[in-house]
Amino acid sequence: MNYFWQLRREFTAFFYSPVAYVVIGISAILNAATFFLILRFLSGAGPTAGAPMEMLFSTALFWLIVMTLTPLITMRTFAEEKHAGTLETLVTAPISDTRIVLAKYTAALAFYAIMWAPTLLYPVLLTRWTPVDPGPVLSGYTGTLAMGAMLVSIGVLCSALTRNQIVAAIITFAAMMGMFLAGLFSYVDGVSQAAVFQYVNLSSHMESFARGIVDTRPLVYYASVAAMALFLTVQVIGARRWRR
Amino acid sequence: MIKVEHLTKKYAAVAAVDGISFEIAEREIVGFLGPNGAGKSTTLKVLTGYHAASGGRVTIGGKDVFAEPESVKKMIGYLPENVPLYPEMRVREYLHYRAGLKGVGRKRREAAVDGAMGRCRIDGVADRIIGQLSKGYRQRVGLADALVADPPILILDEPTIGLDPGQIREVRELIRELGKERTVLLSSHILPEVEAVCSRVLIINRGRIAGSGRPDELRAAAGQNETIIDLEIRDGGEDGHRVFEAVDGITAVDIEQGDGPVRRIRLRGEGGRDVREAVFDAAVAGGLKILSMGQRSHSLEDVFVDIVTREETPDEPAPPPAEAAAQEAP
């Protein structure tokens, strides 16, 4: 019960901050630019082929949005409460640390989803000129959201580790870049465990999702990392109550 | 209602609270008094479940704070030091949120928020943004938050800090009124505050309970064996220490350092003896001109300072300020 109450507070709290509007604005502009460039490319001269929505989830601009804006969404979740001292009033209210962490996480994930919401207009627009296969569109969004569920959990953990929002954003970005780059090792010749790196290759995951393939292996990977990160967040927030 | 047994809290290797024990009965207003850094806030943070104790046991309403934090938190309204609030929220909105978080039902929520705002006299700023309020108003918003779920126990860390004298009087009046139907534990480093509001005082120093009792009990206990004489003299004769320490019945001489030729001197003597005439004669003989002299028994402030300084130097008497200053000079 108080989970939902706290979730409501956490979600509305996003919109008190100008960061929220900046994030939504930048993602809308970058997505629109990507979409425009894709359409130009596909409608250009020469034998080009491809589905625009499929391409939307695998360009460099897609990763730019994910890697730079996700840390901005999650950076304030705990760091701001620690900085302002409000964490003390929050955790001394009758609500468990686990519920606080889950409420903050869910709110941040919902905001991440909202960041992508304007792009839902694109397939609708496309249907006026060309048939759109709903399958890959659906799986592309599923993948974006599922990967977001993992990345947001990492952001929340990083935010719990510091009282400085900028530091939280930077270490979140570093952690996410590390995960992204680790996957690229699967492309390097002569790497002995290329298959292992393939399991954590975010960019190849997204390419499959965008093509309409919903593979359970990345989903399990995202869910495990998210569960682990949230578990650790609860421990970090609860560390003040460790008997020393 | 609140029972603390051998509570210890260590930060790294340093014990901020060192094995304190006390009990607070229902509907008592207890003042937690101590100098800054004595361990007041630390103790309150353990009581409210924000920190865990390193050792000892705290039970509130019969429930262990560490084992059952959820049910203990429901009983407590807590105003932390520095009153952390969400600056971007409006007052009514904030209290409404806090009431919901503390389990005040939807139907009672509106009335609970209005009631708390009325008691703390913040209904006038109900729709203002918290970040734009003055310190005094923010303090009272924090107090309203502590009250909003109508908890049986209030724990207030420095509730009147940052308020102007008028507001301080209002808040004290409010606390007294709240104490009629609740248990209140408030911390302060200001003596008159505790004396004005509390039915019992716990003096804490260096993480230990240094004294406890009703304000008049503490004063009576100390006043019985000591008299204080405050003097103003004009310098020019012999050294004040030598002059007054020679007087029969005087146990301590404190001389305040000043720029001008006028010195304030505090003499401590045995209780129950009037040594004013002897002091006067000694001053005349020593060539010191007395400008004013007043005798009184202990104030609670003296008791407090006494207890605190006695704790700090358990074996040797505190050096007089003059000597201490001379030793510190390069």
Side-chain angles (χ1 to χ4, degrees):
Chain A
M1 184 55 214
N2 53 10
Y3 161 77
F4 289 105
W5 187 251
Q6 186 62 24
L7 173 60
R8 200 181 102 171
R9 140 81 195 152
E10 294 299 340
F11 188 70
T12 48
F14 273 108
F15 298 93
Y16 290 126
S17 156
V19 175
Y21 302 97
V22 171
V23 165
I24 289 181
I26 290 179
S27 76
I29 291 167
L30 287 178
N31 275 318
T34 317
F35 191 58
F36 175 76
L37 291 173
I38 289 169
L39 293 188
R40 271 219 13 181
F41 170 69
L42 291 178
S43 58
T48 53
M53 287 310 288
E54 181 178 313
M55 295 167 80
L56 188 70
F57 293 115
S58 41
T59 62
L61 278 174
F62 170 83
W63 290 106
L64 185 70
I65 293 169
V66 169
M67 293 288 159
T68 56
L69 298 185
T70 308
L72 296 185
I73 294 172
T74 57
M75 66 181 185
R76 48 165 290 288
T77 47
F78 279 104
E80 189 186 38
E81 301 250 19
K82 285 180 142 188
H83 181 74
T86 46
L87 191 64
E88 185 169 355
T89 42
L90 180 55
V91 300
T92 51
I95 178 170
S96 69
D97 292 351
T98 309
R99 285 186 184 161
I100 292 170
V101 170
L102 287 178
K104 282 182 178 292
Y105 169 71
T106 323
L109 185 57
F111 189 88
Y112 172 89
I114 284 178
M115 178 175 85
W116 294 104
T119 64
L120 290 169
L121 201 61
Y122 304 163
V124 178
L125 279 176
L126 283 174
T127 49
R128 291 190 57 179
W129 292 282
T130 172
V132 175
D133 182 357
V137 173
L138 208 61
S139 65
Y141 280 107
T142 304
T144 307
L145 203 60
M147 187 180 65
M150 171 178 75
L151 298 177
V152 167
S153 74
I154 288 166
V156 171
L157 172 61
C158 293
S159 184
L161 291 171
T162 170
R163 42 187 291 137
N164 183 321
Q165 293 189 43
I166 309 293
V167 172
I170 290 170
I171 57 179
T172 306
F173 177 76
M176 284 171 23
M177 275 316 271
M179 295 176 78
F180 183 80
L181 294 175
L184 298 187
F185 275 105
S186 60
Y187 299 128
V188 179
D189 278 344
V191 171
S192 55
Q193 301 299 324
V196 175
F197 289 112
Q198 184 55 39
Y199 284 117
V200 298
N201 188 337
L202 297 181
S203 73
S204 91
H205 293 170
M206 274 316 297
E207 278 165 26
S208 324
F209 282 124
R211 280 203 302 274
I213 304 162
V214 179
D215 188 347
T216 51
R217 281 172 300 180
L219 295 181
V220 169
Y221 169 57
Y222 300 156
S224 331
V225 174
M228 189 67 192
L230 293 178
F231 171 77
L232 290 176
T233 310
V234 174
Q235 301 312 306
V236 170
I237 295 306
R240 64 178 206 286
R241 297 189 68 246
W242 290 351
R243 281 181 178 270
R244 283 173 284 216
Chain B
M1 201 67 181
I2 299 177
K3 192 173 180 187
V4 175
E5 297 162 275
H6 310 294
L7 172 67
T8 302
K9 174 68 190 173
K10 288 181 182 142
Y11 290 113
V14 184
V17 174
D18 196 1
I20 67 173
S21 301
F22 60 87
E23 258 184 83
I24 296 175
E26 209 167 321
R27 288 174 204 191
E28 234 188 323
I29 306 184
V30 174
F32 211 30
L33 186 66
N36 290 323
K40 301 187 296 278
S41 291
T42 305
T43 307
L44 299 188
K45 281 180 204 298
V46 174
L47 260 58
T48 54
Y50 183 58
H51 283 316
S54 311
R57 206 169 115 89
V58 178
T59 46
I60 289 180
K63 287 177 173 151
D64 188 301
V65 170
F66 190 75
E68 297 175 74
E70 302 290 295
S71 41
V72 168
K73 285 176 192 173
K74 280 206 177 93
M75 291 187 268
I76 298 177
Y78 175 39
L79 174 73
E81 209 180 359
N82 303 325
V83 199
L85 300 166
Y86 297 112
E88 70 281 357
M89 290 180 101
R90 289 173 199 280
V91 172
R92 186 193 301 277
E93 179 192 18
Y94 175 69
L95 293 174
H96 190 259
Y97 152 65
R98 293 290 294 177
L101 187 63
K102 293 175 180 184
V104 177
R106 187 196 304 259
K107 286 173 192 157
R108 292 184 297 121
R109 215 174 282 147
E110 218 51 56
V113 169
D114 285 340
M117 288 199 300
R119 286 198 125 159
C120 300
R121 304 202 186 164
I122 49 171
D123 10 24
V125 296
D127 296 313
R128 296 264 301 273
I129 289 171
I130 291 172
Q132 291 171 357
L133 294 177
S134 70
K135 176 86 175 105
Y137 273 121
R138 285 214 296 271
Q139 192 82 18
R140 286 186 277 168
V141 172
L143 204 55
D145 167 31
L147 291 179
V148 75
D150 200 19
I153 300 171
L154 289 177
I155 294 184
L156 312 173
D157 201 350
E158 308 262 5
T160 59
I161 209 164
L163 301 182
D164 66 40
Q167 295 167 335
I168 289 178
R169 202 171 321 132
E170 279 177 20
V171 168
R172 283 181 191 164
E173 194 52 51
L174 174 63
I175 292 171
R176 247 194 305 262
E177 193 193 311
L178 294 170
K180 287 177 188 158
E181 65 235 36
R182 290 177 187 79
T183 307
V184 182
L185 174 59
L186 66 90
S187 81
S188 178
H189 61 272
I190 308 161
L191 233 127
E193 170 149 310
V194 170
E195 204 170 2
V197 176
C198 301
S199 51
R200 191 153 64 93
V201 181
L202 289 167
I203 297 178
I204 183 172
N205 187 41
R206 302 196 150 197
R208 294 188 180 174
I209 299 284
S212 111
R214 289 205 314 272
D216 53 327
E217 281 174 359
L218 283 174
R219 199 179 313 121
Q224 269 167 10
N225 47 32
E226 203 169 41
T227 309
I228 290 176
I229 301 174
D230 283 318
L231 290 173
E232 267 186 305
I233 58 156
R234 187 179 294 279
D235 250 357
E238 293 177 39
D239 175 57
H241 283 291
R242 202 162 344 118
V243 171
F244 294 115
E245 272 161 11
V247 176
D248 185 33
I250 296 293
T251 51
V253 178
D254 287 346
I255 302 182
E256 187 182 285
Q257 290 297 295
D259 294 332
V262 176
R263 295 265 175 280
R264 279 173 211 277
I265 299 183
R266 175 166 292 183
L267 306 176
R268 287 160 195 271
E270 294 158 18
R273 269 179 72 177
D274 191 346
V275 291
R276 282 177 292 182
E277 286 177 31
V279 166
F280 181 84
D281 291 341
V284 171
L288 300 171
K289 290 186 179 123
I290 293 184
L291 304 177
S292 74
M293 170 154 55
Q295 177 178 268
R296 60 187 174 83
S297 63
H298 254 292
S299 73
L300 193 52
E301 187 158 0
D302 301 318
V303 179
F304 175 50
V305 171
D306 252 21
I307 288 173
V308 168
T309 47
R310 195 187 329 129
E311 284 276 310
E312 274 166 13
T313 49
D315 297 327
E316 59 196 270
E323 280 176 37
Q327 282 163 6
E328 278 161 26

